[in-house]
Amino acid sequence: MELSTTRLIVRPQNQEMLDELVAYLARNREFHRPWAPLHPEAWYARAEQARRLLKSQVDAREGRGYRFWYATQAKPNRMIGHASLSSVVRGAFQSCHLGYSQDQTACGQGYMTEALKAILHFAFEEVGLHRVEANVVPQNQASRGVLERLSFVQEGAARRFLKINGGWEDHLRFAILREEFLAR
């Protein structure tokens, strides 16, 4: 299944994108460093990313998580961003966590907001979730702006929530509910 927007193609992860995935991670490694966990060198290797792609396909089939990569309609084979719906919990919760990153050359053009709109539509309409949560390092103004443009509501803060760039970082907690998203 492929999602399309006016300017983007949003695809579920698959083995065919392995080379481009490895290239995306390499060219954005330093750019993402302030906002991402530290990974061992092996994490960036083709073999590890192939393993992770297979796992993401199993997670999607079993409804545990969904990972997407997106590209522009003009350059459909060059990934410019990533988003994931992870830790999907069913039952009375019907919720997940949203994570995302973007290529440094694509920033400031509205691509992330556009891609996440399509992915949120998928989460609420196709997967049937009730709530999507996102956590952001307070200093990441660009990420906070994306969530605010998408009508996420800041619900609070989590102390020393995730180990980012080698240190435990506080995060702001945001969420959007199905009815809020569909009312936009």
Side-chain angles (χ1 to χ4, degrees):
M1 176 208 48
E2 191 172 280
L3 310 173
S4 292
T5 71
T6 305
R7 301 181 298 163
L8 302 174
I9 298 169
V10 183
R11 297 181 182 111
Q13 283 192 347
N14 63 60
Q15 291 300 109
E16 293 155 10
M17 58 180 50
L18 178 59
D19 291 334
E20 182 54 26
L21 167 58
V22 171
Y24 172 89
L25 294 172
R27 73 177 173 259
N28 289 288
R29 187 173 182 174
E30 290 305 313
F31 178 67
H32 292 154
R33 186 177 302 276
W35 321 116
L38 289 179
H39 297 291
E41 195 62 37
W43 189 85
Y44 295 93
R46 192 173 194 282
E48 175 60 14
Q49 291 306 314
R51 187 192 68 73
R52 291 174 55 81
L53 281 173
L54 286 173
K55 182 183 179 315
S56 72
Q57 291 173 308
V58 171
D59 287 347
R61 273 195 308 274
E62 295 178 0
R64 289 190 307 251
Y66 305 89
R67 298 180 65 82
F68 297 91
W69 289 91
Y70 61 92
T72 63
Q73 298 274 357
K75 294 183 179 178
N77 295 318
R78 186 175 195 276
M79 292 178 197
I80 61 166
H82 154 268
S84 63
L85 303 169
S86 63
S87 303
V88 173
V89 178
R90 295 302 188 164
F93 200 44
Q94 297 295 330
S95 184
C96 74
H97 286 98
L98 172 68
Y100 47 88
S101 70
Q102 186 162 268
D103 192 286
Q104 58 190 327
T105 63
C107 292
Q109 300 176 57
Y111 292 135
M112 179 63 74
T113 303
E114 190 172 326
L116 291 181
K117 278 183 190 175
I119 291 166
L120 288 170
H121 179 80
F122 170 81
F124 292 125
E125 292 294 311
E126 302 298 322
V127 180
L129 297 177
H130 167 69
R131 174 185 176 88
V132 174
E133 299 181 22
N135 299 286
V136 179
V137 175
Q139 304 88 316
N140 192 338
Q141 294 295 328
S143 185
R144 290 172 65 183
V146 166
L147 295 176
E148 289 165 1
R149 281 189 292 283
L150 291 166
S151 301
F152 275 73
V153 174
Q154 184 178 334
E155 296 183 329
R159 296 175 300 129
R160 298 172 49 91
F161 185 67
L162 288 173
K163 197 169 189 181
I164 300 294
N165 195 22
W168 290 102
E169 294 285 344
D170 294 347
H171 279 65
L172 300 176
R173 301 189 74 171
F174 289 82
I176 189 166
L177 305 179
R178 181 181 193 276
E179 56 269 22
E180 294 167 340
F181 179 77
L182 296 178
R184 301 177 67 239

